């Protein structure tokens, strides 16, 4: 017995024009990734004291390149990919075409945002890193560009929400198809989460950079950044979870055990992704210790749905592998369809994510955090989350998604498989270097190449960082070769449907499980928890202290 | 065993592990006296030069074996950039920034602080072993950020 996670499993196809729009949205992200990894290799080699930055055209300082690396990879790539991919999964889940005007407007807004922020970054007017901590002050085009990137995600959210409401009206009493459910929750969480950043950029930083406000409040804008800034991690991750839950079980020949558990996991992300931001500010002044402790507890809470994911997705893989003749306690792992590059890349991403998750739990422990905060331990950690669980999964998804969107066969499948392994080996070496250096106090975001201080124990850490980063770059470059070959030289073929999975459990229309679909109620629950977690700080801190003028030390 | 039973068992163990980690974290922090900076004091970032104690940064003895290190971070120096204390001293770091956000990490200790304009960051640390510790600005603060450092010398 099994149940498809989409409405109308047979007979729905997406229009060519919609597919093209989705394709272009995703290509904007992959173009950003390309520029981002080119900068990244220079930064990794910096830790190995190898200077290739001086050969980079237009990149005058290390920090200019680091700003571009962060903005392009962590904001542009992730937003563009989420916009494109979740538009598809929402549409396929509901078996309803997306609202084309909104998707097109989102693409236009994204491009405008990339253009403005890109102008500021590449002309050296915004060397403030992607965290944009005031009172370092970027050119106004940087803040406006960043705001437009966020607005583009809101347009996609409008598309997802309106489609959802229309479907619910047309299908009263029915359970929301799981694929559409996951898509909805991803954007519902993000719309709430992105508001503080929007307030910070539009209410404080943009008017301040234009001279309308003479000063800004560094602690407040920083707190607003991290109010959004941890949840953004889940906005990177949830579209990937949509693939891990929604497609990987099918691609691996298995199925999802429990429909209910997937919905519970997503609701936990909706409620717990946001009220945890103080764990990025453990070492900050101005925030009460008790509030930091409270956010610690919730941060451990949001780890739970990721553990649910680990079980459900691994179990789906095991079902598939045993059906293919896999035996033993762990030997079945060899029977996962490693010949499919989409599966290979995403399973390797999952395995790397185990280490990424555990190191994240260390950062969230405030006592450990005092040892590793703002050391290279942190980028070591997040290159195993966003840098591989997310980025490598995006590459894996592209191996079926681009053929689907372009009506072409995947080219160079062997190279695609190799690419995933090379990238994984690279990121593990890189993270080993960064994490060991971080435990020894090696600072992140620092041009070690020219630093007047150093420690002997940083030498090996730096060399491993440089080697790992270079191997990662090779892995990423091969991805672009496969992508390019597929788009331009893939054999034409009619697209098969999206590889959506099915669940063992048939969703019940009565009982408490049906309450999981009352998404409006769960959004309210999420907001209430946020008010409890952030309310005391704002109530005791406001009004803003607009005392800091802008500094352009770059 | 039915797969649903594995699922229940996995979730129970996962929850228990997270709760155990949390208990361990809070217990260990209490027993080892771990504190993170809290809400200590605010300061007008444009009037640091005239606001005590930051009008005269430096080290002062506030009791037997107890010191207060008043530090101002500005691009791209700490003032003072060198602190000398006898072994066995307990130092309360009281620091702020005169311009942009800076970091202040004393290598090999739990002193790991952000200096945010308008706020005073406070952290106390005991230094038992003689030796040198780097003070590193570990938050990006402009084009020469990597040249901002200092030393704690324990004699």
């Amino acid at each position: 017995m099994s149940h498809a996670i989409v409405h109308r499993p047979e007979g729905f196809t997406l229009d060519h024009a919609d597919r093209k729009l989705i394709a272009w949205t995703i290509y904007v992200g992959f173009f950003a990734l390309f520029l981002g990894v080119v900068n990244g290799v220079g930064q990794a080699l910096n830790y190995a004291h190898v200077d290739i930055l001086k050969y980079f055209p237009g990149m005058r300082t290390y920090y200019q390149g680091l700003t571009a690396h962060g903005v392009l990879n962590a904001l542009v790539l992730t937003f563009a990919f989420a916009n494109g991919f979740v538009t598809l999964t929402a549409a396929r889940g509901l078996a309803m075409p997306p609202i084309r005007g909104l998707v097109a407007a989102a693409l236009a807004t994204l491009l405008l945002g990339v253009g403005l922020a890109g102008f500021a970054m590449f002309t050296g007017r915004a060397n403030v890193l992607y965290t944009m901590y005031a009172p370092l002050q970027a050119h106004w085009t940087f803040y406006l560009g960043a705001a437009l990137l966020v607005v583009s995600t809101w347009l996609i959210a409008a598309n997802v929400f309106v489609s959802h409401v229309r479907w619910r009206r047309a299908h009263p009493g029915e359970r929301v198809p799981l694929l559409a459910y996951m898509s909805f929750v991803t954007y519902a969480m993000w719309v709430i989460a992105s508001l503080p950043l929007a307030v910070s950029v539009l209410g404080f930083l943009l008017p301040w950079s234009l001279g309308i406000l003479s000063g800004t409040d560094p602690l407040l804008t920083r707190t607003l950044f991290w109010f959004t800034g941890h949840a953004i991690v889940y906005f990177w991750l949830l579209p990937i979870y949509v693939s891990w839950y929604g497609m990987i079980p099918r691609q691996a020949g298995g199925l999802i055990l429990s429909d209910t558990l997937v919905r519970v996991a997503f609701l936990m992300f909706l409620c717990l992704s946001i009220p945890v931001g103080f764990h990025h500010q453990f070492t900050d002044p101005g925030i009460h210790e008790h509030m930091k402790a409270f956010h610690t507890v919730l941060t451990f809470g949001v780890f739970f749905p990721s553990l649910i994911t680990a079980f459900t997705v691994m179990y789906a893989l095991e079902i598939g592998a045993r059906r293919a003749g896999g035996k033993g306690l762990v030997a079945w792992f060899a029977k996962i369809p490693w010949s499919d590059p989409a599966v290979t890349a995403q399973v390797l991403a999952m395995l790397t994510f185990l280490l990424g998750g555990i190191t994240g739990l260390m950062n969230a422990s405030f006592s450990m955090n005092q040892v590793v905060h703002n050391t290279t331990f942190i980028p070591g950690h997040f290159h195993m989350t966003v840098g591989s669980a997310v980025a490598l999964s995006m590459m894996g998804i592209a191996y079926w998604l681009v053929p689907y969107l372009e009506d072409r066969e995947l080219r160079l499948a062997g190279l695609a498989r190799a690419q995933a392994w090379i990238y994984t080996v690279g990121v593990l070496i890189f993270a080993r270097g960064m994490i060991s250096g971080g435990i020894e106090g090696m600072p992140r975001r620092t041009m070690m190449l020219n630093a007047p201080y150093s420690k002997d124990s940083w030498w090996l850490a730096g060399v491993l960082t440089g080697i790992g980063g270079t191997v990662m770059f090779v892995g990423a470059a091969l991805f672009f070769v496969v992508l390019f070959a597929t788009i331009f030289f893939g054999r034409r073929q009619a697209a098969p449907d999206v590889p959506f999975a099915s669940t063992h459990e048939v969703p019940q229309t009565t009982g408490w499980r049906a309450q999981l679909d009352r998404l409006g109620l769960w959004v309210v629950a999420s907001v209430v928890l946020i008010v409890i977690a952030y309310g005391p700080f704002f109530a005791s801190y406001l009004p803003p202290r607009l005392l800091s003028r802008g500094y352009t030390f770059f | 065993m039915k797969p649903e039973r594995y699922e229940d068992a996995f979730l129970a163990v996962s929850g228990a592990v997270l709760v155990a980690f949390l208990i361990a974290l809070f217990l260990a922090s209490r027993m080892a006296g771990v504190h993170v900076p809290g809400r200590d004091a605010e300061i007008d970032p444009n009037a640091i030069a005239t606001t005590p104690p930051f009008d005269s940064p430096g080290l002062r003895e506030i009791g037997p074996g107890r010191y207060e290190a008043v530090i101002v971070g500005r691009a791209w120096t700490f003032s003072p950039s060198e602190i000398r204390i006898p072994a066995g001293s307990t130092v309360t770091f009281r620091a702020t920034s005169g311009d942009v956000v800076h970091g202040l990490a004393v290598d090999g200790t739990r002193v790991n602080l952000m200096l945010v304009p308008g706020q005073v960051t406070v952290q106390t640390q005991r230094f038992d072993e003689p030796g040198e510790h780097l003070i590193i600005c570990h938050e990006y603060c402009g084009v020469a950020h990597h040249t901002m450092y200092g030393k704690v010398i324990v004699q």
Side-chain angles (χ1 to χ4, degrees), chain A residues 180-229:
Chain A
Y181 186 94
M182 295 189 285
S183 311
F184 181 98
V185 173
T186 299
Y187 269 82
M189 186 284 291
W190 171 244
V191 167
I192 306 169
S194 59
L195 292 174
L197 181 62
V199 168
S200 174
V201 171
L202 296 174
F204 294 97
L205 300 177
L206 182 60
W208 170 64
S209 68
L210 287 166
I212 299 167
L213 291 177
S214 63
T216 196
D217 185 333
L219 181 67
L220 183 67
T221 48
R222 185 179 163 83
T223 303
L224 288 170
F225 180 86
W226 286 115
F227 196 159
T228 295

Side-chain angles (χ1 to χ4, degrees), chain A residues 528-542:
Chain A
V528 168
L529 202 52
I530 291 165
V531 170
I532 293 170
Y534 269 105
F537 171 77
F538 287 106
S540 63
Y541 185 80
L542 293 175

